[in-house]
Amino acid sequence: AEALERLSPAEPPLPKFEAAEAFIWQTDEHSFAPVAHVNRVPIALLKSVDRMRDILLANTENFARGLPANNALLWGSRGMGKSSLVKAVHAEVAARQGKAALKLIEIHREDISSLPRCLSWLRDRPQRFIVFCDDLSFDADDTSYKSLKAVLEGGIEGRPENVVFYATSNR
């Protein structure tokens, strides 16, 4: 029995999304690591991104309310505040709607191939999730984009209704 358990380890415990407002997807353990303090600035301190801020804020508010919302790609030069905007918008909407309802999940670009597994944990949860990939880019021979493409374009299972995907890119 012990040998069989080593060959097929038990599923990790269900995530406790009540433990924090943000998490990092851990591919090696198929788990979510809570983030005690998100590194972010208040939305009022972000300057010269008014149009992008307003669009992303409205989209995120719609999503948090259960209304239709879009995935988002914020692109531009390094240091333009793209990542800061995503984190600030999450904080603003979570403060308005209630932190228990809207969660931020960070996935690293090298872990995109595990996105379907990550979403399977989120699919039937009562919370709403922004899955955030900072600095998303793909090399010419990289095929991990296929996992993202299947999720965004609605493979057989499609993106869960309680999940939107936000990404930033310099390319």
Side-chain angles (χ1 to χ4, degrees):
E2 289 175 7
L4 287 174
E5 285 181 20
R6 284 192 303 271
L7 288 173
S8 178
E11 285 284 319
L14 287 175
K16 293 187 175 20
F17 289 117
E18 302 78 25
E21 63 179 312
F23 299 82
I24 298 174
W25 170 242
Q26 305 287 311
T27 57
D28 51 342
E29 299 143 10
H30 291 119
S31 65
F32 297 87
V35 176
H37 301 287
V38 177
N39 179 24
R40 63 175 155 227
V41 297
I43 200 166
L45 295 180
L46 299 175
K47 303 297 181 194
S48 301
V49 292
D50 298 349
R51 183 171 180 269
M52 192 183 320
R53 178 202 60 215
D54 294 346
I55 291 169
L56 192 64
L57 190 58
N59 189 66
T60 307
E61 285 178 330
N62 284 344
F63 174 68
R65 290 186 181 117
L67 299 171
N70 294 307
N71 299 306
L73 172 64
L74 284 68
W75 61 275
S77 300
R78 182 179 301 247
M80 298 291 293
K82 301 174 296 293
S83 301
S84 296
L85 182 59
V86 170
K87 294 182 284 186
V89 162
H90 167 258
E92 183 73 17
V93 174
R96 294 178 189 177
Q97 303 287 328
K99 292 183 184 207
L102 185 63
K103 305 296 179 176
L104 183 65
I105 308 286
E106 182 177 17
I107 184 169
H108 298 116
R109 69 176 173 228
E110 55 273 1
D111 297 332
I112 287 294
S113 62
S114 72
L115 188 57
R117 177 74 172 150
C118 173
L119 295 182
S120 72
W121 284 98
L122 306 178
R123 185 168 297 283
D124 294 319
R125 303 297 300 214
Q127 299 90 351
R128 303 193 67 74
F129 300 94
I130 299 170
V131 176
F132 172 52
C133 184
D134 191 21
D135 198 21
L136 181 66
S137 61
F138 302 103
D139 296 323
D141 59 343
D142 190 354
T143 59
S144 63
Y145 72 90
K146 291 179 180 181
S147 298
L148 178 58
K149 184 177 179 261
V151 169
L152 295 179
E153 291 184 355
I156 192 167
E157 207 169 24
R159 175 177 54 93
E161 290 183 18
N162 64 332
V163 175
V164 297
F165 187 79
Y166 288 0
T168 66
S169 183
N170 298 332
R171 298 184 188 187

